[in-house]
Amino acid sequence: MSEASISNQRPALAKAADADLHPTTPKLEPINDLTSKAGSATSDVMRAPKKEKLVTIKLDIPKSVRKSLRIEADKRGLSVNQLINAVLRDRTRS
Amino acid sequence: MPTIAVLSMKGGVGKSTITLGLASVAWERGQAALIVDLDPQANATMGLDVLAPDFTTNDVLADGRPGIAADAVSGTGWAPHIKVIAAERALEHRNTNEGRHSALRLRTALASLPRAYDLVVIDCPPSLGELTRNALSAADLAVVVTEPGYFALHGAAQAIEAVEIIRGTTNPGLRTAAIVINRARPHLAEQQVRIAELREAYGELVSPSVLPERTSVPQAQGAGIPIHAWHSPGAREISELFEDLYDEVLPDLKIGLP
Ligand SMILES: Nc1ncnc2c1ncn2[C@@H]1O[C@H](COP(=O)(O)OP(=O)(O)O)[C@@H](O)[C@H]1O
Ligand SMILES: [Mg+2]
């Protein structure tokens, strides 16, 4: 098999998950710590504490960030919605 | 073909300037060069007149698959034969040990890519951390940059020690090609003492191409053009010294000029 056909088969390079994070931003790794504030199961990360009402917000983000979010969420077995909830909850300390 | 890492202990001594200077010689001579920017400050990227590259060394190192660096090669504003793998601020995330074979990520990602170029130059960040370890692990030759100041000898010694450590661990083929003194103002007695100290300690390793301080250097960099394309007596002087350095570091690449 030629080198060209090998490289055609491998998935192309994607932007790194942290490409849009400022270097001083704490790493996203300890997301389980974030989720533990809401509960121990990963699906709890999107659940508001107690019976709080959920609201929908519209957000404009660069395509590249959405791509990073999808990759990061995939890695953690979460939905993008869950990941964003976890990050926002951590950032706003609520 | 040869891969050169340009490093120093400190920032602001001239790593990016020498990276761009070597690239400028390649530009002038029509040789194919790839600049790999491993400094999150991305000064070499800017000096090569690259705007909004699709991918950067951060993406390459985060991915790490063999040969993936080929996907991140961008064109530059200089010429089609001068290419870059750009840097970006987020590259700072990669300056920490990422586990086993962490220092070999760049080498793995580059794989056979250097064979497509006459010259590959890796511009290092101003520290001897994980990014510089990656540069040295991927390089055949190291060029150490120093200023002729009070800490010149100390700084050069630290950088050369880094080269030795990498030679003894991940990259037995690595060698120091030259110690380059940059921003010299030879009329200053203090600097003469420092240059003599370096020569005494490192002999012929200290390049005879001592680069003087010239305003054309930041001017050409700011304009995003090769120093060879900047028309001033200072630029001409520096350009010739870069040519001498190029021939010293890469003697096999010396070719007859028309
Ligand atoms: N020989 C020189 N003469 C004048 N200015 C220089 C010279 N070498 C470097 N500079 C300037 O000094 C600054 C730092 O140099 P740079 O190459 O970016 O250092 P480093 O990459 O080691 O941090 C830059 O603005 C550059 O234009
Ligand atoms: Mg630099």
Side-chain angles (χ1 to χ4, degrees):
Chain A
M1 200 186 285
S2 79
E3 236 177 301
S5 64
I6 289 171
S7 66
N8 283 344
Q9 280 171 10
R10 68 155 156 67
L13 181 61
K15 285 303 288 177
D18 51 17
D20 297 299
L21 282 184
H22 188 279
T24 51
T25 311
K27 293 222 170 189
L28 273 175
E29 254 72 75
I31 199 159
N32 289 328
D33 300 346
L34 311 185
T35 62
S36 68
K37 282 170 198 155
S40 51
T42 37
S43 59
D44 285 343
V45 297
M46 67 167 292
R47 221 173 280 155
K50 299 267 165 57
K51 275 210 173 154
E52 212 174 327
K53 231 175 123 187
L54 292 177
V55 291
T56 304
I57 59 166
K58 186 174 175 293
L59 189 66
D60 296 317
I61 56 172
K63 248 184 158 172
S64 60
V65 177
R66 187 181 64 186
K67 194 167 183 184
S68 306
L69 282 169
R70 281 183 180 152
I71 293 169
E72 195 62 33
D74 257 10
K75 272 196 213 157
R76 301 170 190 284
L78 300 173
S79 68
V80 170
N81 196 78
Q82 288 170 325
L83 178 68
I84 294 173
N85 264 279
V87 172
L88 291 180
R89 183 168 298 155
D90 178 59
R91 278 325 180 78
T92 54
R93 310 255 174 267
S94 58
Chain B
M1 185 80 125
T3 301
I4 302 177
V6 182
L7 77 151
S8 71
M9 264 281 287
K10 298 203 302 169
V13 299
K15 290 177 294 298
S16 301
T17 296
I18 283 163
T19 300
L20 291 169
L22 293 173
S24 182
V25 178
W27 175 83
E28 171 79 3
R29 295 182 179 179
Q31 291 181 323
L34 173 67
I35 313 309
V36 179
D37 195 345
L38 269 199
D39 184 350
Q41 290 184 43
N43 293 338
T45 299
M46 292 185 263
L48 290 163
D49 194 17
V50 182
L51 291 171
D54 287 339
F55 297 111
T56 67
T57 43
N58 183 48
D59 308 317
V60 169
L61 292 174
D63 183 304
R65 279 175 292 161
I68 197 71
D71 287 20
V73 174
S74 309
T76 66
W78 285 19
H81 64 286
I82 308 297
K83 300 277 201 252
V84 68
I85 302 180
E88 64 182 326
R89 189 183 62 184
L91 176 61
E92 192 69 60
H93 296 302
R94 305 277 88 74
N95 208 8
T96 54
N97 189 305
E98 307 211 45
R100 232 164 89 86
H101 304 313
S102 171
L104 290 172
R105 293 176 81 84
L106 179 63
R107 181 153 116 193
T108 304
L110 286 172
S112 62
L113 189 61
R115 278 188 232 149
Y117 297 89
D118 294 314
L119 170 71
V120 178
V121 190
I122 308 174
D123 189 19
C124 292
S127 72
L128 300 178
E130 200 61 10
L131 289 170
T132 297
R133 268 161 42 87
N134 264 279
L136 291 175
S137 300
D140 308 305
L141 301 169
V143 167
V144 170
V145 189
T146 185
E147 282 182 337
Y150 183 65
F151 293 112
L153 194 58
H154 178 72
Q158 297 275 317
I160 284 173
E161 201 183 333
V163 174
E164 298 300 327
I165 290 169
I166 298 299
R167 200 218 313 274
T169 51
T170 53
N171 189 4
L174 179 67
R175 68 179 178 84
T176 302
I179 300 171
V180 182
I181 299 167
N182 183 36
R183 306 193 78 143
R185 288 187 286 164
H187 57 280
L188 298 180
E190 157 75 11
Q191 291 203 352
Q192 283 171 16
V193 171
R194 299 306 162 199
I195 292 173
E197 269 177 5
L198 279 166
R199 292 229 156 91
E200 173 140 13
Y202 294 108
E204 299 212 322
L205 211 48
V206 179
S207 173
S209 302
V210 176
L211 303 170
E213 189 150 67
R214 292 290 176 267
T215 50
S216 53
V217 170
Q219 284 170 342
Q221 286 169 4
I225 65 171
I227 188 86
H228 281 79
W230 193 263
H231 298 292
S232 76
R236 182 94 300 270
E237 181 189 3
I238 293 264
S239 297
E240 281 169 12
L241 287 166
F242 278 132
E243 284 169 44
D244 294 344
L245 178 66
Y246 193 97
D247 293 334
E248 177 193 342
V249 172
L250 303 162
D252 301 339
L253 274 181
K254 203 169 188 170
I255 52 162
L257 288 176

